[in-house]
């Protein structure tokens, strides 16, 4: 995210930051509340809700710490692909089905693309949450001169 607070909201690239203020914490908490409410509404399992929360946190972490915050969407896509591959590999390893499953690399290629897609989408939503926090900060938390 650009460091100039006077820069127009439409011209900035928003992503997760390393430091949070009150507006950011309020928006992040509200976003997680909406996500968990939607997951409860569709009766998602607790395991799925936990995986979704971890996924969102990992994407935000990747945006804040990879590529010196200069390529948040690429960081999101790579973190999403990595997350999906790790989850599928662990799930396949723990699967106790009677038929053995191979771990052929070609089976993971579609998983990589799906993970990149969802990582990118999640990263964009995280950036939108930080944009909302910036707007909230400008309108309610900064002193008027």
């Amino acid at each position: 995210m650009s460091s100039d607070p006077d820069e127009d909201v439409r011209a900035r690239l928003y992503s997760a930051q390393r430091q949070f203020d009150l507006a950011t914490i309020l928006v992040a908490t509200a976003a997680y509340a909406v996500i968990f409410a939607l997951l409860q509404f569709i009766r998602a399992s607790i395991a799925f809700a936990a995986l979704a929360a971890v996924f969102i946190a990992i994407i935000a972490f990747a945006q804040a710490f990879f590529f010196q915050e200069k390529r948040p969407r690429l960081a999101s896509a790579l973190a999403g692909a990595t997350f999906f591959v790790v989850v599928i590999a662990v799930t396949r390893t723990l699967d106790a089905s009677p038929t053995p499953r191979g771990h052929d690399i070609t089976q993971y290629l579609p998983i990589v693309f799906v993970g990149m897609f969802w990582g990118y989408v999640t990263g964009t939503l995280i950036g939108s949450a930080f944009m909302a926090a910036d707007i909230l900060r400008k309108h309610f938390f900064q002193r008027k001169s």
Side-chain angles (χ1 to χ4, degrees):
M1 182 166 79
S2 176
S3 61
D4 184 13
D6 294 328
E7 187 177 358
D8 187 18
V9 170
R10 293 170 290 188
R12 294 174 78 172
L13 177 62
Y14 286 91
S15 65
Q17 304 165 345
R18 293 181 185 190
Q19 296 178 349
F20 291 169
D21 61 349
L22 182 60
T24 306
I25 292 171
L26 287 172
V27 170
T29 303
Y32 265 112
V34 167
I35 290 166
F36 287 132
L38 287 173
L39 289 173
Q40 187 174 13
F41 178 74
I42 64 170
R43 298 185 190 275
S45 69
I46 293 174
F48 182 80
L51 274 176
V54 169
F55 181 69
I56 293 166
I58 287 174
I59 299 299
F61 181 84
Q63 284 187 353
F65 291 100
F66 294 160
F67 304 115
Q68 288 81 33
E69 299 180 25
K70 294 194 184 347
R71 294 184 173 177
R73 303 307 179 251
L74 177 61
S76 300
L78 293 176
T82 304
F83 181 84
F84 269 56
V85 167
V86 167
V87 167
I88 295 298
V90 168
T91 304
R92 284 186 176 182
T93 302
L94 297 176
D95 185 20
S97 65
T99 57
R101 291 186 180 181
H103 289 278
D104 187 16
I105 193 70
T106 58
Q107 295 174 343
Y108 285 97
L109 197 56
I111 295 167
V112 168
F113 289 123
V114 170
M116 289 179 79
F117 170 76
W118 284 112
Y120 183 87
V121 169
T122 303
T124 303
L125 293 174
I126 290 169
S128 300
F130 277 86
M131 181 181 68
D134 192 39
I135 292 169
L136 182 70
R137 183 181 312 107
K138 285 180 181 177
H139 288 295
F140 295 106
F141 292 109
Q142 286 185 349
R143 295 181 188 206
K144 309 277 191 245
S145 319

